[in-house]
Amino acid sequence: MPALCRDCLETFDDARRCPACRSPRVTSHPELFDLSIAHMDCDAFYASVEKRDNPEIRDKPVIIGGGRRGVVSTACYIARIKGVRSAMPMFQALKLCPEAVVVKGRMDVYVEVSKQVRALMEELTPAIEPLSLDEAFMDLTGTARLHGKPPAVMLARLVKRMRDEIGITGSIGLSHNKFLAKIASDLEKPRGFSVVGAGETLAFLSDKPVRMIWGIGEAGQASLNKAGIHTFSDLRRWEREALHERFGAMGDRLWHLARGEDHRSVKRDRAVKGVSNETTFNEDIASPDLLDGHIWRMAEKVADRLKAKGIAGRTVTLKLKRADFKLITRRTTLPDATQTADRIYSTARALFDRMDHPNPYRLLGVGVSDLIAEDQADREGNLLDPQEAARLKAERATDAIRHRFGSDAILKGRALR
Amino acid sequence: MKLSIERATLLRAVSQAQSVVERRNTIPILANVLIEAEGESVSFRATDLDIEVVDKAVAQVERAGATTVNAVTFHEIVRKLPDGALVNLTEDSTAGRLTIEAGRSSFQLATLPREDFPVMASTEYAANFTSTAPVLRRLFDKSKFAISTEETRYYLNGVYFHVADSENGKVLRAVATDGHRLARIDTDLPDGAETMPGVIVPRKTVGELRKLLEDDDTQIAVSVSETKIRFAAPDITLTSKVIDGTFPDYSRVIPMGNTRRMEVDAGDFAKAVDRVATVSSERSRAVKMALDEDRLILSVNAPDAGNAEEELAVAYGDEKLEIGFNAKYLLEIASQVDRENAVFMFSSPAEPTLMREGNDESAIYVVMPMRV
């Protein structure tokens, strides 16, 4: 049976340890060198980056998340042992793991690291479909001749380089379609390398719970359970028509998935639809002045990200969550697209001014969508606001200063509110 | 209520009234038209709470009365009746039905009581004056293209209709702008308009008003208060709330000191702009104008799609100039010119440009350049 050493990348015929370096990190599988659809998932990505940059917290439980009222965005594996999970309210996480070090996320750093990982993936294949900053599908079909090595070896090399060159670890799922690759990458985390071959697909799925299907949340799971479907073998007993009748279009997809079939191809970069930032307050805020400061800060963050990507957008959205959790969104479309904090702010502020005040809010977000290239944005001056051109010029100058001396080098007074 | 009316007369009156009815509304009575018969006429009243239209028509009224029916259905029925038919409308208030009969056709529509129909509160008007259809048509037709669609700047979602000072004394003026272009149209001040407060006439009202102005001979009585405006033609009256907001001080943005003058045939210019803009697939298509001694070169350069260039003979004697504009804005202002050449007054590639027809200062357009 073909086998691969994930430490020295040696390939050999099945053995428990690598004949070359004696490492026990060996992956063997009958179809190992025939499979080419992969899912790469970084291990506790944000937490790993924080541990990499701060050796003092390396052996401590680390939780990434914001504020008292925030939620856990990532927990390291030590914290996970205590039961801390992503999306758990922070107070609950700290009850389970009081000794945890809570770190406020540094999104800009994560984006940077994600780009480095992406660059390594680009060397393997152009067919990359990122799902988020820390995971992506890759299709390596037909690349063996180019690389002179089968996909499995290149993937093992990828995670090895991520560890050696970037300082973070990841897990690989290798299979014959996206659905199975995604399930596989989760099997041996962290630093996993799992293979699901075509020959074993049905047996592999049989006793697995249907909640493994990506996109099936609690509600979907409940409706499946209600129909008596808990595992894939339960699902396989259903006729295709019956599934369709009960679950609509999703029923057809379930029928295929029950057989381990997934015909979706790895889509290169799904186009970004919008850029947004939001913040949950420590305490509900009703003061329009304080909220104004938040609108500015969110607008500035969104503008920073648009500028970093070289894009701009025509639609500005303001999102507010009231103290009673009711979500309010307001949007408007500009005739001339923008990427500047100044125009995003003034548009979001105009949306805010049209709402009922004062009202206590617990969350505020600003977003820009309907995206186009930056060279088609902010091209038309404003007749009614002759100062706008000067302000936009000042913003460009501020950007240059922040670029050179750091993002706190210069701030608007408004940002301090 | 019981009356008979000629089908063509009925159709005209009902179609004008029903167009203000908001198609998507949740209050049933607002989908209805109020029919009131008395003396020798019948009136049809419809509203969206911001605009109210009342249409009067001659009818043989056998029994006076009033009721309301669904405006769109009623209009559809009348539209489909054969031309030349005599239509009988009979209300059965106990059954809550209005019967519409013409020849062998008979329809019964559910009614809602007239008491439920919201009638716009009457106002004391600060100014009353008379104008003609062509004058009002010019004021609103030439300015409405510049109305902003941005809902956040609601005070720009209409035409600012007001009395202003010009070089030739006081004028009646219509101004619209969306921050990228502006139209300012003047006409002689009619008697009685001096005391008129400046009001912002909403976009929808401007559209509905157009229907009163089709006939050149129509005299229109205009009444204006701080909160409402009324246009009354002999058979039809339109009353509208005005936008509650302050229109920005536009006088500062009109560049009166621009010195670089270009004169061009507006039709040729518009066609050339339209042609070169074809190659661009961008949403706001930028056209570059390069001017040098009686020569204008229009060009569009869209890196992904292609490029285009066209040369036009113009009258221009100033130093060389390169300036970019949104093609759509150029086309819109050029299409306002119908008698003489278009005259453009430029300053710099970053500052507003002014356009007018010949030397006529009573209609001027300002457009902001675009970075190209």
mmCIF file with all atom_site columns, all heavy atoms in Angstrom, chain A residues 21 30 45 50 129 148 157 160 171 186 209 212 237 260 286 290 363 383 398 411 416:
data_model
loop_
_atom_site.group_PDB
_atom_site.id
_atom_site.type_symbol
_atom_site.label_atom_id
_atom_site.label_alt_id
_atom_site.label_comp_id
_atom_site.label_asym_id
_atom_site.label_entity_id
_atom_site.label_seq_id
_atom_site.pdbx_PDB_ins_code
_atom_site.Cartn_x
_atom_site.Cartn_y
_atom_site.Cartn_z
_atom_site.occupancy
_atom_site.B_iso_or_equiv
_atom_site.pdbx_formal_charge
_atom_site.auth_seq_id
_atom_site.auth_comp_id
_atom_site.auth_asym_id
_atom_site.auth_atom_id
_atom_site.pdbx_PDB_model_num
ATOM 1   N N   . CYS A 1 21  ? 13.573  8.479  7.819   1.00 0.00 ? 21  CYS A N   1
ATOM 2   C CA  . CYS A 1 21  ? 13.849  9.308  8.994   1.00 0.00 ? 21  CYS A CA  1
ATOM 3   C C   . CYS A 1 21  ? 13.286  8.716  10.281  1.00 0.00 ? 21  CYS A C   1
ATOM 4   O O   . CYS A 1 21  ? 13.398  9.338  11.339  1.00 0.00 ? 21  CYS A O   1
ATOM 5   C CB  . CYS A 1 21  ? 13.333  10.739 8.777   1.00 0.00 ? 21  CYS A CB  1
ATOM 6   S SG  . CYS A 1 21  ? 11.530  10.862 8.852   1.00 0.00 ? 21  CYS A SG  1
ATOM 7   N N   . PRO A 1 30  ? -4.536  2.879  0.122   1.00 0.00 ? 30  PRO A N   1
ATOM 8   C CA  . PRO A 1 30  ? -4.434  2.286  -1.212  1.00 0.00 ? 30  PRO A CA  1
ATOM 9   C C   . PRO A 1 30  ? -4.525  3.316  -2.338  1.00 0.00 ? 30  PRO A C   1
ATOM 10  O O   . PRO A 1 30  ? -3.900  3.174  -3.380  1.00 0.00 ? 30  PRO A O   1
ATOM 11  C CB  . PRO A 1 30  ? -5.627  1.317  -1.265  1.00 0.00 ? 30  PRO A CB  1
ATOM 12  C CG  . PRO A 1 30  ? -6.057  1.105  0.129   1.00 0.00 ? 30  PRO A CG  1
ATOM 13  C CD  . PRO A 1 30  ? -5.606  2.270  0.932   1.00 0.00 ? 30  PRO A CD  1
ATOM 14  N N   . PHE A 1 45  ? -6.601  28.645 14.056  1.00 0.00 ? 45  PHE A N   1
ATOM 15  C CA  . PHE A 1 45  ? -5.793  29.621 13.327  1.00 0.00 ? 45  PHE A CA  1
ATOM 16  C C   . PHE A 1 45  ? -5.404  30.862 14.134  1.00 0.00 ? 45  PHE A C   1
ATOM 17  O O   . PHE A 1 45  ? -4.220  31.148 14.333  1.00 0.00 ? 45  PHE A O   1
ATOM 18  C CB  . PHE A 1 45  ? -6.536  30.009 12.047  1.00 0.00 ? 45  PHE A CB  1
ATOM 19  C CG  . PHE A 1 45  ? -5.811  30.992 11.180  1.00 0.00 ? 45  PHE A CG  1
ATOM 20  C CD1 . PHE A 1 45  ? -4.543  30.712 10.704  1.00 0.00 ? 45  PHE A CD1 1
ATOM 21  C CD2 . PHE A 1 45  ? -6.404  32.192 10.834  1.00 0.00 ? 45  PHE A CD2 1
ATOM 22  C CE1 . PHE A 1 45  ? -3.865  31.611 9.881   1.00 0.00 ? 45  PHE A CE1 1
ATOM 23  C CE2 . PHE A 1 45  ? -5.742  33.099 10.014  1.00 0.00 ? 45  PHE A CE2 1
ATOM 24  C CZ  . PHE A 1 45  ? -4.473  32.806 9.537   1.00 0.00 ? 45  PHE A CZ  1
ATOM 25  N N   . GLU A 1 50  ? -1.392  33.880 17.509  1.00 0.00 ? 50  GLU A N   1
ATOM 26  C CA  . GLU A 1 50  ? -1.075  34.578 18.755  1.00 0.00 ? 50  GLU A CA  1
ATOM 27  C C   . GLU A 1 50  ? 0.041   33.857 19.511  1.00 0.00 ? 50  GLU A C   1
ATOM 28  O O   . GLU A 1 50  ? 0.937   34.478 20.067  1.00 0.00 ? 50  GLU A O   1
ATOM 29  C CB  . GLU A 1 50  ? -2.318  34.713 19.640  1.00 0.00 ? 50  GLU A CB  1
ATOM 30  C CG  . GLU A 1 50  ? -3.395  35.634 19.061  1.00 0.00 ? 50  GLU A CG  1
ATOM 31  C CD  . GLU A 1 50  ? -2.894  37.045 18.777  1.00 0.00 ? 50  GLU A CD  1
ATOM 32  O OE1 . GLU A 1 50  ? -1.926  37.478 19.436  1.00 0.00 ? 50  GLU A OE1 1
ATOM 33  O OE2 . GLU A 1 50  ? -3.458  37.703 17.872  1.00 0.00 ? 50  GLU A OE2 1
ATOM 34  N N   . GLU A 1 129 ? -10.206 27.427 -3.693  1.00 0.00 ? 129 GLU A N   1
ATOM 35  C CA  . GLU A 1 129 ? -11.473 28.047 -3.287  1.00 0.00 ? 129 GLU A CA  1
ATOM 36  C C   . GLU A 1 129 ? -11.422 28.305 -1.795  1.00 0.00 ? 129 GLU A C   1
ATOM 37  O O   . GLU A 1 129 ? -11.673 27.418 -0.993  1.00 0.00 ? 129 GLU A O   1
ATOM 38  C CB  . GLU A 1 129 ? -12.654 27.132 -3.621  1.00 0.00 ? 129 GLU A CB  1
ATOM 39  C CG  . GLU A 1 129 ? -13.996 27.713 -3.209  1.00 0.00 ? 129 GLU A CG  1
ATOM 40  C CD  . GLU A 1 129 ? -15.168 26.780 -3.525  1.00 0.00 ? 129 GLU A CD  1
ATOM 41  O OE1 . GLU A 1 129 ? -15.054 25.956 -4.442  1.00 0.00 ? 129 GLU A OE1 1
ATOM 42  O OE2 . GLU A 1 129 ? -16.188 26.877 -2.825  1.00 0.00 ? 129 GLU A OE2 1
ATOM 43  N N   . GLY A 1 148 ? 5.944   16.653 -10.602 1.00 0.00 ? 148 GLY A N   1
ATOM 44  C CA  . GLY A 1 148 ? 6.757   15.442 -10.517 1.00 0.00 ? 148 GLY A CA  1
ATOM 45  C C   . GLY A 1 148 ? 6.450   14.635 -9.273  1.00 0.00 ? 148 GLY A C   1
ATOM 46  O O   . GLY A 1 148 ? 7.175   13.693 -8.935  1.00 0.00 ? 148 GLY A O   1
ATOM 47  N N   . ARG A 1 157 ? 3.826   18.529 1.861   1.00 0.00 ? 157 ARG A N   1
ATOM 48  C CA  . ARG A 1 157 ? 4.880   19.528 1.802   1.00 0.00 ? 157 ARG A CA  1
ATOM 49  C C   . ARG A 1 157 ? 4.315   20.906 2.165   1.00 0.00 ? 157 ARG A C   1
ATOM 50  O O   . ARG A 1 157 ? 4.966   21.703 2.845   1.00 0.00 ? 157 ARG A O   1
ATOM 51  C CB  . ARG A 1 157 ? 5.448   19.538 0.384   1.00 0.00 ? 157 ARG A CB  1
ATOM 52  C CG  . ARG A 1 157 ? 6.627   20.436 0.197   1.00 0.00 ? 157 ARG A CG  1
ATOM 53  C CD  . ARG A 1 157 ? 7.372   20.077 -1.089  1.00 0.00 ? 157 ARG A CD  1
ATOM 54  N NE  . ARG A 1 157 ? 8.224   21.197 -1.450  1.00 0.00 ? 157 ARG A NE  1
ATOM 55  C CZ  . ARG A 1 157 ? 7.940   22.062 -2.427  1.00 0.00 ? 157 ARG A CZ  1
ATOM 56  N NH1 . ARG A 1 157 ? 6.857   21.892 -3.160  1.00 0.00 ? 157 ARG A NH1 1
ATOM 57  N NH2 . ARG A 1 157 ? 8.750   23.059 -2.677  1.00 0.00 ? 157 ARG A NH2 1
ATOM 58  N N   . LYS A 1 160 ? 3.924   21.223 5.875   1.00 0.00 ? 160 LYS A N   1
ATOM 59  C CA  . LYS A 1 160 ? 5.269   21.254 6.463   1.00 0.00 ? 160 LYS A CA  1
ATOM 60  C C   . LYS A 1 160 ? 5.867   22.657 6.309   1.00 0.00 ? 160 LYS A C   1
ATOM 61  O O   . LYS A 1 160 ? 6.430   23.227 7.242   1.00 0.00 ? 160 LYS A O   1
ATOM 62  C CB  . LYS A 1 160 ? 6.147   20.218 5.778   1.00 0.00 ? 160 LYS A CB  1
ATOM 63  C CG  . LYS A 1 160 ? 7.546   20.080 6.365   1.00 0.00 ? 160 LYS A CG  1
ATOM 64  C CD  . LYS A 1 160 ? 8.203   18.816 5.805   1.00 0.00 ? 160 LYS A CD  1
ATOM 65  C CE  . LYS A 1 160 ? 9.736   18.885 5.780   1.00 0.00 ? 160 LYS A CE  1
ATOM 66  N NZ  . LYS A 1 160 ? 10.356  19.308 7.023   1.00 0.00 ? 160 LYS A NZ  1
ATOM 67  N N   . SER A 1 171 ? -4.370  21.089 8.916   1.00 0.00 ? 171 SER A N   1
ATOM 68  C CA  . SER A 1 171 ? -4.748  19.697 8.669   1.00 0.00 ? 171 SER A CA  1
ATOM 69  C C   . SER A 1 171 ? -5.278  19.551 7.253   1.00 0.00 ? 171 SER A C   1
ATOM 70  O O   . SER A 1 171 ? -5.916  20.463 6.729   1.00 0.00 ? 171 SER A O   1
ATOM 71  C CB  . SER A 1 171 ? -5.823  19.254 9.662   1.00 0.00 ? 171 SER A CB  1
ATOM 72  O OG  . SER A 1 171 ? -5.308  19.328 10.975  1.00 0.00 ? 171 SER A OG  1
ATOM 73  N N   . ASP A 1 186 ? -11.167 17.251 9.084   1.00 0.00 ? 186 ASP A N   1
ATOM 74  C CA  . ASP A 1 186 ? -11.571 17.449 10.475  1.00 0.00 ? 186 ASP A CA  1
ATOM 75  C C   . ASP A 1 186 ? -11.324 16.204 11.342  1.00 0.00 ? 186 ASP A C   1
ATOM 76  O O   . ASP A 1 186 ? -11.479 16.250 12.549  1.00 0.00 ? 186 ASP A O   1
ATOM 77  C CB  . ASP A 1 186 ? -13.067 17.810 10.490  1.00 0.00 ? 186 ASP A CB  1
ATOM 78  C CG  . ASP A 1 186 ? -13.414 18.668 11.695  1.00 0.00 ? 186 ASP A CG  1
ATOM 79  O OD1 . ASP A 1 186 ? -12.549 19.477 12.106  1.00 0.00 ? 186 ASP A OD1 1
ATOM 80  O OD2 . ASP A 1 186 ? -14.533 18.515 12.215  1.00 0.00 ? 186 ASP A OD2 1
ATOM 81  N N   . PRO A 1 209 ? -22.568 10.759 11.589  1.00 0.00 ? 209 PRO A N   1
ATOM 82  C CA  . PRO A 1 209 ? -23.798 11.549 11.761  1.00 0.00 ? 209 PRO A CA  1
ATOM 83  C C   . PRO A 1 209 ? -23.986 12.542 10.619  1.00 0.00 ? 209 PRO A C   1
ATOM 84  O O   . PRO A 1 209 ? -23.015 13.072 10.089  1.00 0.00 ? 209 PRO A O   1
ATOM 85  C CB  . PRO A 1 209 ? -23.569 12.296 13.074  1.00 0.00 ? 209 PRO A CB  1
ATOM 86  C CG  . PRO A 1 209 ? -22.090 12.352 13.234  1.00 0.00 ? 209 PRO A CG  1
ATOM 87  C CD  . PRO A 1 209 ? -21.514 11.137 12.548  1.00 0.00 ? 209 PRO A CD  1
ATOM 88  N N   . MET A 1 212 ? -22.493 16.187 9.972   1.00 0.00 ? 212 MET A N   1
ATOM 89  C CA  . MET A 1 212 ? -21.191 16.451 9.350   1.00 0.00 ? 212 MET A CA  1
ATOM 90  C C   . MET A 1 212 ? -21.345 17.167 8.024   1.00 0.00 ? 212 MET A C   1
ATOM 91  O O   . MET A 1 212 ? -20.377 17.705 7.488   1.00 0.00 ? 212 MET A O   1
ATOM 92  C CB  . MET A 1 212 ? -20.481 15.140 9.072   1.00 0.00 ? 212 MET A CB  1
ATOM 93  C CG  . MET A 1 212 ? -19.779 14.572 10.270  1.00 0.00 ? 212 MET A CG  1
ATOM 94  S SD  . MET A 1 212 ? -18.802 13.197 9.710   1.00 0.00 ? 212 MET A SD  1
ATOM 95  C CE  . MET A 1 212 ? -17.480 13.266 10.896  1.00 0.00 ? 212 MET A CE  1
ATOM 96  N N   . ARG A 1 237 ? -31.240 4.964  3.107   1.00 0.00 ? 237 ARG A N   1
ATOM 97  C CA  . ARG A 1 237 ? -32.435 4.121  2.963   1.00 0.00 ? 237 ARG A CA  1
ATOM 98  C C   . ARG A 1 237 ? -33.582 4.851  2.272   1.00 0.00 ? 237 ARG A C   1
ATOM 99  O O   . ARG A 1 237 ? -34.549 4.237  1.866   1.00 0.00 ? 237 ARG A O   1
ATOM 100 C CB  . ARG A 1 237 ? -32.888 3.612  4.337   1.00 0.00 ? 237 ARG A CB  1
ATOM 101 C CG  . ARG A 1 237 ? -32.092 2.402  4.819   1.00 0.00 ? 237 ARG A CG  1
ATOM 102 C CD  . ARG A 1 237 ? -32.748 1.740  6.000   1.00 0.00 ? 237 ARG A CD  1
ATOM 103 N NE  . ARG A 1 237 ? -32.641 2.560  7.199   1.00 0.00 ? 237 ARG A NE  1
ATOM 104 C CZ  . ARG A 1 237 ? -31.607 2.485  8.053   1.00 0.00 ? 237 ARG A CZ  1
ATOM 105 N NH1 . ARG A 1 237 ? -30.632 1.633  7.839   1.00 0.00 ? 237 ARG A NH1 1
ATOM 106 N NH2 . ARG A 1 237 ? -31.565 3.256  9.111   1.00 0.00 ? 237 ARG A NH2 1
ATOM 107 N N   . GLY A 1 260 ? -21.968 9.648  -0.932  1.00 0.00 ? 260 GLY A N   1
ATOM 108 C CA  . GLY A 1 260 ? -20.618 10.212 -1.023  1.00 0.00 ? 260 GLY A CA  1
ATOM 109 C C   . GLY A 1 260 ? -20.360 10.916 -2.336  1.00 0.00 ? 260 GLY A C   1
ATOM 110 O O   . GLY A 1 260 ? -19.220 11.086 -2.746  1.00 0.00 ? 260 GLY A O   1
ATOM 111 N N   . ALA A 1 286 ? -26.724 54.565 23.673  1.00 0.00 ? 286 ALA A N   1
ATOM 112 C CA  . ALA A 1 286 ? -27.840 55.296 23.085  1.00 0.00 ? 286 ALA A CA  1
ATOM 113 C C   . ALA A 1 286 ? -27.383 56.656 22.565  1.00 0.00 ? 286 ALA A C   1
ATOM 114 O O   . ALA A 1 286 ? -28.012 57.227 21.687  1.00 0.00 ? 286 ALA A O   1
ATOM 115 C CB  . ALA A 1 286 ? -28.958 55.479 24.099  1.00 0.00 ? 286 ALA A CB  1
ATOM 116 N N   . LEU A 1 290 ? -21.702 59.215 20.850  1.00 0.00 ? 290 LEU A N   1
ATOM 117 C CA  . LEU A 1 290 ? -20.841 58.038 21.003  1.00 0.00 ? 290 LEU A CA  1
ATOM 118 C C   . LEU A 1 290 ? -20.982 57.113 19.798  1.00 0.00 ? 290 LEU A C   1
ATOM 119 O O   . LEU A 1 290 ? -19.997 56.583 19.291  1.00 0.00 ? 290 LEU A O   1
ATOM 120 C CB  . LEU A 1 290 ? -21.205 57.274 22.274  1.00 0.00 ? 290 LEU A CB  1
ATOM 121 C CG  . LEU A 1 290 ? -20.765 57.932 23.583  1.00 0.00 ? 290 LEU A CG  1
ATOM 122 C CD1 . LEU A 1 290 ? -21.230 57.112 24.772  1.00 0.00 ? 290 LEU A CD1 1
ATOM 123 C CD2 . LEU A 1 290 ? -19.242 58.075 23.610  1.00 0.00 ? 290 LEU A CD2 1
ATOM 124 N N   . LEU A 1 363 ? -24.952 46.718 19.118  1.00 0.00 ? 363 LEU A N   1
ATOM 125 C CA  . LEU A 1 363 ? -23.996 46.408 18.046  1.00 0.00 ? 363 LEU A CA  1
ATOM 126 C C   . LEU A 1 363 ? -24.156 47.419 16.924  1.00 0.00 ? 363 LEU A C   1
ATOM 127 O O   . LEU A 1 363 ? -25.265 47.869 16.639  1.00 0.00 ? 363 LEU A O   1
ATOM 128 C CB  . LEU A 1 363 ? -24.275 44.993 17.524  1.00 0.00 ? 363 LEU A CB  1
ATOM 129 C CG  . LEU A 1 363 ? -23.542 44.487 16.271  1.00 0.00 ? 363 LEU A CG  1
ATOM 130 C CD1 . LEU A 1 363 ? -23.359 42.982 16.383  1.00 0.00 ? 363 LEU A CD1 1
ATOM 131 C CD2 . LEU A 1 363 ? -24.272 44.807 14.984  1.00 0.00 ? 363 LEU A CD2 1
ATOM 132 N N   . LEU A 1 383 ? -20.568 68.756 -6.080  1.00 0.00 ? 383 LEU A N   1
ATOM 133 C CA  . LEU A 1 383 ? -20.907 70.172 -6.230  1.00 0.00 ? 383 LEU A CA  1
ATOM 134 C C   . LEU A 1 383 ? -21.314 70.817 -4.917  1.00 0.00 ? 383 LEU A C   1
ATOM 135 O O   . LEU A 1 383 ? -21.007 71.967 -4.652  1.00 0.00 ? 383 LEU A O   1
ATOM 136 C CB  . LEU A 1 383 ? -22.117 70.293 -7.171  1.00 0.00 ? 383 LEU A CB  1
ATOM 137 C CG  . LEU A 1 383 ? -21.902 70.425 -8.665  1.00 0.00 ? 383 LEU A CG  1
ATOM 138 C CD1 . LEU A 1 383 ? -23.263 70.414 -9.342  1.00 0.00 ? 383 LEU A CD1 1
ATOM 139 C CD2 . LEU A 1 383 ? -21.197 71.724 -8.963  1.00 0.00 ? 383 LEU A CD2 1
ATOM 140 N N   . THR A 1 398 ? -3.153  61.001 5.003   1.00 0.00 ? 398 THR A N   1
ATOM 141 C CA  . THR A 1 398 ? -3.181  60.283 6.282   1.00 0.00 ? 398 THR A CA  1
ATOM 142 C C   . THR A 1 398 ? -2.836  58.814 6.070   1.00 0.00 ? 398 THR A C   1
ATOM 143 O O   . THR A 1 398 ? -2.068  58.225 6.829   1.00 0.00 ? 398 THR A O   1
ATOM 144 C CB  . THR A 1 398 ? -4.593  60.387 6.893   1.00 0.00 ? 398 THR A CB  1
ATOM 145 O OG1 . THR A 1 398 ? -4.975  61.750 6.914   1.00 0.00 ? 398 THR A OG1 1
ATOM 146 C CG2 . THR A 1 398 ? -4.609  59.851 8.303   1.00 0.00 ? 398 THR A CG2 1
ATOM 147 N N   . LEU A 1 411 ? -4.772  60.098 13.862  1.00 0.00 ? 411 LEU A N   1
ATOM 148 C CA  . LEU A 1 411 ? -6.180  59.743 14.043  1.00 0.00 ? 411 LEU A CA  1
ATOM 149 C C   . LEU A 1 411 ? -7.032  60.982 13.884  1.00 0.00 ? 411 LEU A C   1
ATOM 150 O O   . LEU A 1 411 ? -6.583  62.091 14.132  1.00 0.00 ? 411 LEU A O   1
ATOM 151 C CB  . LEU A 1 411 ? -6.421  59.213 15.463  1.00 0.00 ? 411 LEU A CB  1
ATOM 152 C CG  . LEU A 1 411 ? -5.892  57.839 15.837  1.00 0.00 ? 411 LEU A CG  1
ATOM 153 C CD1 . LEU A 1 411 ? -6.138  57.626 17.324  1.00 0.00 ? 411 LEU A CD1 1
ATOM 154 C CD2 . LEU A 1 411 ? -6.575  56.756 15.044  1.00 0.00 ? 411 LEU A CD2 1
ATOM 155 N N   . LEU A 1 416 ? -11.819 59.319 18.532  1.00 0.00 ? 416 LEU A N   1
ATOM 156 C CA  . LEU A 1 416 ? -11.583 59.193 19.974  1.00 0.00 ? 416 LEU A CA  1
ATOM 157 C C   . LEU A 1 416 ? -12.877 59.219 20.771  1.00 0.00 ? 416 LEU A C   1
ATOM 158 O O   . LEU A 1 416 ? -12.881 59.022 21.970  1.00 0.00 ? 416 LEU A O   1
ATOM 159 C CB  . LEU A 1 416 ? -10.661 60.315 20.461  1.00 0.00 ? 416 LEU A CB  1
ATOM 160 C CG  . LEU A 1 416 ? -9.267  60.300 19.799  1.00 0.00 ? 416 LEU A CG  1
ATOM 161 C CD1 . LEU A 1 416 ? -8.491  61.538 20.176  1.00 0.00 ? 416 LEU A CD1 1
ATOM 162 C CD2 . LEU A 1 416 ? -8.501  59.040 20.190  1.00 0.00 ? 416 LEU A CD2 1
#
